[in-house]
Amino acid sequence: MLLTVTLKTAKLIRRYSPDKTSGVLVFGNFDIKTIEKPNLDNRPMVSCIPEGTYLCKWSHMASHNVDHYELQNVKDRTAIFIHIVGSVDDVLGCIGSDRVSIGCLETYMAKEDFMLTIIS
């Protein structure tokens, strides 16, 4: 018998501007504000990632020696994390939010894989 696992899901709804990409990440009964770099054609470290659906896996961020969700299979990109930031300057191609919001996401998702759909 084949066992299928249904992953939790989240949706990131974005609004683009020349200096940043603002968003609302919706999961369960929660919605949290996010911030990313502006849309600069998916250039590593300086651009938000392309819209689409991505698997998010609990992963270790070696550069900061912490665990966070990492988006998988982002075209032409690696090490795309959802993590705590203070401003758009703290986001190097990742998705950022405040400490309380990131904690809420990690608790709700129980540090298990989930699917993230990014739209505008």
Side-chain angles (χ1 to χ4, degrees), residues 42-60:
N42 195 33
R43 293 192 338 237
M45 307 288 286
V46 297
S47 177
C48 62
I49 62 171
E51 294 182 11
T53 300
Y54 301 95
L55 174 64
C56 295
K57 295 182 75 65
W58 192 244
S59 181
H60 186 71

Side-chain angles (χ1 to χ4, degrees), residues 3 7 14 28 30 41-44 50-51 55-56 80 84 110:
L3 180 64
L7 297 177
R14 287 179 169 162
F30 302 96
D41 298 320
N42 195 33
R43 293 192 338 237
E51 294 182 11
L55 174 64
C56 295
I80 307 299
I84 299 166

Side-chain angles (χ1 to χ4, degrees), residues 17 24 29 34 37 42 54 66 76 79 105 108-109 116 118:
S17 66
V24 176
N29 294 323
T34 63
K37 292 292 188 187
N42 195 33
Y54 301 95
V66 293
D76 300 325
L105 173 70
Y108 177 81
M109 295 299 180
L116 173 63
I118 301 173

